[in-house]
């Protein structure tokens, strides 16, 4: 067993510096690496480029980094529900690249898989395709999109073991598995870190080979963005 | 009389067939799930990574690890599955999802759709809409026939930035059911009590009217 365990977020984030590109897992506030984000705030690293489907809300998720103006550029598919984000974007302080959600996921997976670029139909004929190579296959037009290049990927899983094997829960899975191994170093924080041998190899979603550092997270808040219920 | 949101959703629900995997967009499309016949087998996909979505949870049973693409808390039905975002869009781009229902700000008579950006306003992003419209074999748009200013949303050409080109197959509005054909918008059905002239006046693009146009059966 190759042991990937580190003690906490501070140790896991060793080497994160100003101007780096970070991939951050999660969809909305579901499955975000809460401990790592809190540590990034503490580290006060600046001018980050963040690749993440959303940008959190004003006082949680990546919104915490935005409040402290630590992010120079966001690469996302949807960034609503965040007033500070809107302010920084409209004032030009924050650079924003909006890309189709499937393209965002596939650019992560391409980086994870050693595929430099791929063709997708998403965005053909729209402003997303401007300046990009297009090509016809089987009488349909496609746009060439490139794999991301990132310094760190920071993901959140439900359970993990010291070898870095991961299991996700529900829709908190989302972009997290696609970001594992898609950057130079992948950090996984988990709700439950177990000794090797505790997890059934049949149930592993992401093998530890994609993970460099894993730690047991603490005090998960798991906020709900849109609490929607039905009557009994 | 023009339909309300639930009326539009009710009419679209009739397009959902047995054995379909369906992706519902945010807004009116979400309501469609409430009107699908319960004697057919349908599974709803949400692009954040779930197939087999069920209704909203009862109070106290909300799970932050279980949400839909609108970030609302949901439940799952027996037979449901979870998957990552890349696999989710493999389902979508790979045309494994049979039907996509989404809202729009404008649709053009050639099937172009605009639903993500208004220049001069805060742009929130396209989310999964561009992937969905570029790939789905069957796309139904749910929207009002005109905007708040009373201007037609069924146009010769879209004026807003596009989400996808020549992709919309059918449009269900508060006034009509319209098929997008090579020749333009073809009027299929009228909302109960709405005249053909009303629909014609509310449609800027080329509207094809052939024979008697029946009223929708809701």
């Amino acid at each position: 067993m190759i042991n990937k365990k580190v003690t906490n977020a501070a140790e896991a984030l060793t080497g994160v510096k100003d101007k780096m590109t970070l991939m951050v897992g999660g969809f909305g506030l579901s499955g975000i690496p809460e401990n790592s984000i809190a540590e990034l705030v503490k580290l006060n690293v600046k001018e980050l480029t963040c690749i993440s489907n959303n940008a959190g809300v004003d006082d949680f998720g990546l919104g915490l980094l935005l409040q402290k103006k630590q992010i120079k550029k966001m690469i996302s598919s949807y960034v609503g529900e965040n007033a500070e984000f809107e302010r920084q974007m409209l004032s030009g302080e924050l650079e924003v690249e909006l890309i189709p959600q499937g393209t965002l996921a596939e650019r992560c997976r391409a980086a994870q898989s050693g595929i430099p670029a791929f063709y997708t139909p998403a965005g053909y004929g729209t402003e997303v395709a401007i300046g990009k190579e297009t090509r016809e296959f089987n009488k349909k037009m496609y746009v060439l999109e490139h794999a991301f290049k990132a310094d760190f990927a920071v993901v959140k899983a439900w359970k993990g073991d010291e070898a870095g094997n991961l299991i996700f829960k529900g829709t908190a899975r989302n972009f997290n598995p696609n970001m594992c191994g898609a950057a130079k170093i992948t950090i996984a924080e988990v709700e439950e870190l177990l000794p090797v041998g505790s997890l059934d190899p049949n149930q592993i979603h992401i093998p530890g080979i994609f993970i460099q550092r894993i730690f047991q997270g603490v005090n998960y808040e798991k906020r709900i963005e849109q609490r929607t219920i039905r009557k009994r | 009389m023009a339909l309300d949101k639930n009326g539009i959703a009710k009419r679209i629900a009739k397009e959902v067939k047995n054995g379909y995997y369906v992706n519902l967009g945010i807004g009116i499309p979400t309501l469609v799930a409430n009107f699908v016949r319960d004697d057919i087998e349908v599974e709803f996909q949400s692009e954040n990574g779930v197939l087999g979505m069920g209704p909203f949870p009862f109070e106290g049973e909300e799970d932050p690890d279980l949400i839909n693409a609108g970030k609302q808390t949901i439940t799952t039905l027996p037979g449901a599955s979870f998957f990552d975002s890349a696999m989710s869009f493999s389902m979508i781009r790979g045309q494994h999802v049979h039907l996509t229902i989404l809202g729009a700000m404008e649709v053009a008579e050639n099937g172009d759709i605009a639903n993500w950006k208004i220049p001069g306003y805060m742009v929130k992003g396209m989310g999964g809409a561009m992937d969905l419209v570029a790939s789905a074999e069957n796309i139904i748009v749910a929207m009002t026939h005109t905007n708040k200013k009373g201007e037609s949303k069924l146009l010769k050409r879209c004026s807003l930035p596009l989400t996808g080109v020549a992709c919309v197959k059918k449009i269900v509005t508060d006034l009509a059911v319209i098929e997008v054909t090579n020749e333009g918008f073809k009027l299929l059905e009228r909302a109960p009590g709405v005249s053909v002239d009303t629909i014609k006046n509310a449609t800027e693009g080329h509207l094809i009217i052939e024979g008697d146009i029946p009223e929708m059966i809701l």
Side-chain angles (χ1 to χ4, degrees):
Chain A
M1 194 265 292
I2 303 171
N3 198 324
K4 310 287 173 73
K5 185 185 171 184
V6 295
T7 49
N8 52 27
E11 193 185 337
L13 290 174
T14 304
V16 177
K17 297 199 165 56
D18 291 356
K19 299 184 183 179
M20 279 188 165
T21 298
L22 310 182
M23 288 180 163
V24 182
F27 185 100
L29 299 178
S30 191
I32 57 170
E34 294 183 18
N35 284 239
S36 300
I37 291 169
E39 187 61 28
L40 286 168
V41 173
K42 220 183 273 178
L43 284 172
N44 202 23
V45 280
K46 302 276 191 191
E47 292 184 65
L48 299 172
T49 295
C50 288
I51 300 164
S52 190
N53 189 56
N54 314 94
V57 293
D58 275 322
D59 60 347
F60 205 54
L62 290 180
L64 296 170
L65 298 185
L66 286 164
Q67 292 286 347
K68 287 190 66 192
K69 299 185 181 159
Q70 292 177 256
I71 301 177
K72 180 189 70 177
K73 181 179 179 180
M74 274 304 307
I75 301 174
S76 306
S77 86
Y78 189 84
V79 294
E81 286 88 56
N82 194 322
E84 177 61 14
F85 184 100
E86 190 168 342
R87 193 198 63 72
Q88 289 185 23
M89 182 175 167
L90 294 173
S91 71
E93 288 166 63
L94 179 70
E95 197 184 329
V96 180
E97 187 181 338
L98 294 169
I99 60 178
Q101 196 176 132
T103 299
L104 178 64
E106 199 63 21
R107 288 178 70 184
C108 294
R109 181 159 73 174
Q112 178 189 58
S113 318
I115 305 284
F118 58 91
Y119 285 98
T120 176
Y124 176 75
T126 76
E127 64 183 51
V128 163
I130 292 171
K132 291 175 185 163
E133 190 182 320
T134 56
R135 188 169 161 182
E136 186 183 317
F137 296 92
N138 307 317
K139 295 182 180 161
K140 190 173 162 116
M141 292 304 295
Y142 294 82
V143 183
L144 186 69
E145 295 282 1
H146 290 80
F148 283 124
K149 283 185 180 150
D151 298 294
F152 282 85
V154 187
V155 306
K156 150 86 182 11
W158 179 35
K159 291 179 182 178
D161 67 17
E162 291 170 355
N165 296 308
L166 301 179
I167 296 176
F168 301 90
K169 182 166 167 261
T171 54
R173 188 182 316 192
N174 56 64
F175 288 83
N176 286 300
N178 307 128
M179 290 177 172
C180 292
K184 288 175 198 154
I185 293 174
T186 300
I187 298 162
E189 58 173 82
V190 295
E191 288 177 54
E192 204 178 338
L193 183 59
L194 300 159
V196 285
S198 311
L199 298 176
D200 176 356
N202 286 302
Q203 306 299 325
I204 303 292
H205 292 136
I206 285 292
I209 190 169
F210 292 113
I211 308 299
Q212 279 68 50
R213 302 170 190 171
I214 188 166
F215 70 95
Q216 163 86 59
V218 291
N219 302 327
Y220 281 102
E221 204 174 316
K222 290 198 183 185
R223 278 200 212 171
I224 291 175
E225 226 168 318
Q226 306 282 345
R227 187 177 300 272
T228 331
I229 51 168
R230 74 184 136 134
K231 291 201 176 84
R232 276 181 201 273
Chain B
M1 215 182 84
L3 300 174
D4 62 6
K5 286 179 179 181
N6 280 307
I8 297 173
K10 206 170 170 185
R11 176 58 191 84
I12 291 178
K14 289 182 182 295
E15 306 287 322
V16 179
K17 303 285 187 313
N18 187 37
Y20 269 17
Y21 292 102
V22 182
N23 181 289
L24 300 178
I26 294 162
I28 301 174
T30 307
L31 301 172
V32 173
N34 300 334
F35 299 105
V36 174
R37 280 162 46 188
D38 52 15
D39 61 336
I40 61 172
E41 301 289 337
V42 174
E43 279 201 29
F44 292 105
Q45 196 249 21
S46 194
E47 62 266 26
N48 59 316
V50 55
L51 250 181
M53 232 190 318
F56 296 137
F58 291 119
E59 190 167 9
E61 292 174 7
E62 313 92 303
D63 179 353
D65 294 330
L66 188 45
I67 61 170
N68 64 16
K71 288 131 190 166
Q72 296 169 312
T73 44
I74 54 160
T75 59
T76 53
L77 297 173
S81 56
F82 299 118
F83 36 85
D84 64 66
S85 299
M87 186 178 283
S88 178
F89 284 91
S90 297
M91 294 175 191
I92 290 164
R93 287 188 308 256
Q95 298 191 334
H96 307 286
V97 173
H98 299 106
L99 174 63
T100 289
I101 302 168
L102 76 177
M105 299 192 274
E106 294 178 348
V107 178
E109 60 188 36
N110 71 338
D112 288 358
I113 178 172
N115 73 351
W116 77 284
K117 182 175 182 178
I118 304 174
Y121 287 82
M122 166 70 186
V123 182
K124 295 189 170 183
M126 66 290 283
M130 284 194 180
D131 309 271
L132 282 157
V133 300
S135 315
E137 271 182 291
N138 193 2
I139 299 173
I140 300 178
V141 164
M143 65 177 190
T144 52
H145 215 99
T146 55
N147 64 21
K148 281 172 189 160
K149 292 183 208 155
E151 299 160 341
S152 181
K153 293 164 76 173
L154 288 86
L155 308 172
K156 286 188 170 62
R157 277 169 174 274
C158 293
S159 64
L160 297 169
L162 295 182
T163 309
V165 293
C167 52
V168 176
K169 302 286 187 285
K170 203 174 249 185
I171 308 161
V172 178
T173 73
D174 50 340
L175 303 181
V177 179
I178 283 167
E179 188 187 345
V180 179
T181 69
N182 291 334
E183 286 74 43
F185 296 125
K186 187 177 177 187
L187 182 58
L188 298 182
E189 296 171 25
R190 301 174 286 122
V194 171
S195 71
V196 169
D197 276 347
T198 302
I199 298 163
K200 215 173 157 179
N201 291 335
T203 309
E204 190 230 68
H206 180 52
L207 187 69
I208 302 160
I209 304 160
E210 284 176 3
D212 283 340
I213 307 298
E215 276 191 4
M216 294 178 201
I217 298 164
L218 293 168

